[in-house]
Amino acid sequence: MITAERKPMEEILEYVRPCQRILLVGCNECVTVCAAGGRKEVGLLSSALQMAAMKEGRTLEVKEITLERQCDPEYVEELASQVGDAEAIVSMACGCGVQELARRYKSMRVYPAVNTKFMGASERQGVWAERCQGCGDCLLGITGGVCPIARCSKQLMNGPCGGSTKGKCEISQDVDCAWQLIWDRLKALGVEDRYEENIPAKDWRTGRGGGPRKIIREDLAQ
Amino acid sequence: MKTDSLLEKIFASGQLALTSECGPPRGAAPDKVREKAELLRGCVDGVNVTDNQTAMVRMSSLAACIILKQMGLNPILQMVTRDRNRLALQSDVIGAYSHGIDTMICLSGDHPHFGDHPMAANVHDLDSVQFVNMVKNMRDDGKFQGGADIDTPPKMFIGAAANPFADPFELRVSRLAKKAKAGADFIQTQCIYNVDKFEKWMEGVRDRGLDKEIYIMAGITPMKSAGMAKYMKNKVPGMDVPDEMVKRMSGVPKEKQAEEGIKICLETMERLKGVKGVAGFHLMAIEWEHRVKEIVERAGLLPRPQF
């Protein structure tokens, strides 16, 4: 999923301070799963913003809506009838959702209420960790299902640096050494030899190196 | 011979090669480079010039190498992939070679987390193994990494690093094999304090015949004090300082600890001279350049061979 964290209250308040009516829009997908911008968080932020406004001697009217998917024009269209006299839209979706709202509602100010973090997985209740950087040319088939680009602090593709200690990365005891994880997996699978294949310099054009990316599926595109 | 590197000639002659280090200053202070480097004249065969070591901004390695070259010393250009992409790395390799610098070390570099710019973006377009391979292809095939021909290829003698003490230990020989396969000519190891473990690693290296493919320089750093021993043991990632070494340093009065550190260093070198496959020493006397001559002399490694 795409993970996110709510922005500091003060930053969101700064955005909405000039407004009396806002539309606060959540998303039912990733940000719901990582408890950053789903229906529940929309409700909480709405109350917090109204309370903060009251403390400052203002009134703030917040209309709450949570869309099925904010990154999908079909669902974003549902807001057309809701925008009404709102002075701004505050989005609790990832950056994709925020941009989709800004694209569709051109005359509206659209503000993000969350910081989009990374593509990750849930490690346990309340903990999410980065797993993928979307390099566009997946290496997981040769690295035992552990990504060195997303999970090694130096994105080393040919083994651990000299700072790997007891399974941990040199930058923090809270970060696993990706290459220790890869090595453990290769051993468990009985394919240690695979480690010795030198992975050549990566072609970053499939990633951000090639500029903003697009997928066009001819069979689906109209 | 692949290159004109003095280091290559010494290795080829079968004599123990000796390198040391010079960390450039944190400012536009060329005299500081000259001062430090002058202390190493005649003591070693090459001087590694570090590249923003510990992720702190310093005078560029290439610029400091040129100063050493102008002094008639033999600089070894260290380069890390942390700060430059493949375009910048290749242009600096060509630039260095154009100034007569023919020996280099390809590294990934310390993470910015450790330095004074933890907010900096990491480049890591290449890793150290890919970097080695790129420089080898520049030299041997006369090709840029992108495939185009190089007009007058740089003939670099290519070094890399190895840490036999980092985890997982069991793949550390394989990691060396990957660097050898990529085209590294020589290796400088992490500082050796746990000689038993180093010998075990070397055994693995010899079992695979890697000592015949790549020259291995044993990394040595004399301890200046018991405090330094403790710091190295507890705070430096990937460093293996046995308890008895800390105890030995702590066991002598403060004013004699520096001498004790040098004694340990000399004992280690003596023992390593007997380890088959050790082709030389890399003496990292951190901010202790003025003691290098004494150490080298007491280790019986003077005078240095001439070619």
Side-chain angles (χ1 to χ4, degrees), chain A residues 153-158 160-162 164-166 170-171 183 187 195-202 204, chain B residues 86 109 111 113-114 122 124-127 130 145 163 166-167 170-172 174-175 178 181 208 237-238:
Chain A
S153 299
K154 300 179 186 171
Q155 64 181 39
L156 303 182
M157 275 166 264
N158 282 291
C161 75
S164 175
T165 307
K166 297 188 174 71
E170 65 178 18
I171 69 158
W183 178 246
K187 269 202 307 186
Y195 171 73
E196 297 227 3
E197 287 167 26
N198 283 19
I199 297 180
K202 201 165 165 65
W204 295 109
Chain B
R86 64 192 81 179
H111 195 275
H113 171 80
F114 297 102
N122 261 325
H124 294 305
D125 177 18
L126 303 178
D127 66 21
Q130 295 161 347
Q145 207 274 332
N163 185 356
D167 291 322
E170 57 190 342
L171 68 62
R172 290 290 157 183
S174 300
R175 178 128 169 97
K178 289 183 85 162
K181 188 157 71 171
R208 291 189 51 167

Side-chain angles (χ1 to χ4, degrees), chain A residues 23 25-29 65-83 89 91 93-106 108 110:
Chain A
L23 193 58
V25 190
C27 177
N28 233 346
E29 294 283 352
I65 300 170
T66 298
L67 299 179
E68 197 52 37
R69 262 199 302 283
Q70 258 189 57
C71 56
D72 194 330
E74 187 186 330
Y75 295 104
V76 167
E77 197 54 42
E78 289 172 13
L79 278 187
S81 58
Q82 307 287 331
V83 172
I89 303 177
S91 166
C94 70
C96 309
V98 179
Q99 292 183 64
E100 198 46 36
L101 296 187
R103 185 198 61 80
R104 170 61 184 82
Y105 301 103
K106 291 193 167 40
M108 293 294 293
V110 179

Side-chain angles (χ1 to χ4, degrees), chain B residues 121-176:
Chain B
N122 261 325
V123 178
H124 294 305
D125 177 18
L126 303 178
D127 66 21
S128 53
V129 173
Q130 295 161 347
F131 185 14
V132 163
N133 194 242
M134 179 173 79
V135 181
K136 179 193 184 274
N137 293 339
M138 289 173 81
R139 179 187 71 198
D140 296 346
D141 305 338
K143 297 276 190 202
F144 285 117
Q145 207 274 332
D149 290 335
I150 304 173
D151 172 11
T152 318
K155 303 282 181 191
M156 283 285 181
F157 193 52
I158 308 164
N163 185 356
F165 309 105
D167 291 322
F169 178 71
E170 57 190 342
L171 68 62
R172 290 290 157 183
V173 172
S174 300
R175 178 128 169 97
L176 179 74

Side-chain angles (χ1 to χ4, degrees), chain B residues 60-76:
Chain B
S60 81
S61 172
L62 174 51
C65 276
I66 293 170
I67 295 175
L68 263 67
K69 196 75 198 168
Q70 288 166 344
M71 294 169 67
L73 296 172
N74 184 32
I76 300 172

Side-chain angles (χ1 to χ4, degrees), chain A residues 37-48:
Chain A
R39 198 177 306 276
K40 187 176 162 198
E41 291 74 30
V42 165
L44 290 170
L45 179 61
S46 171
S47 310

Side-chain angles (χ1 to χ4, degrees), chain B residues 51-53 78-85 89 105-110 124 131:
Chain B
D51 183 8
N52 287 342
Q53 78 264 30
Q78 277 194 201
M79 287 181 91
V80 300
T81 63
R82 178 197 59 220
D83 306 336
R84 294 181 190 83
N85 70 4
L89 291 168
I105 312 272
C106 302
L107 305 166
S108 55
D110 295 316
H124 294 305
F131 185 14

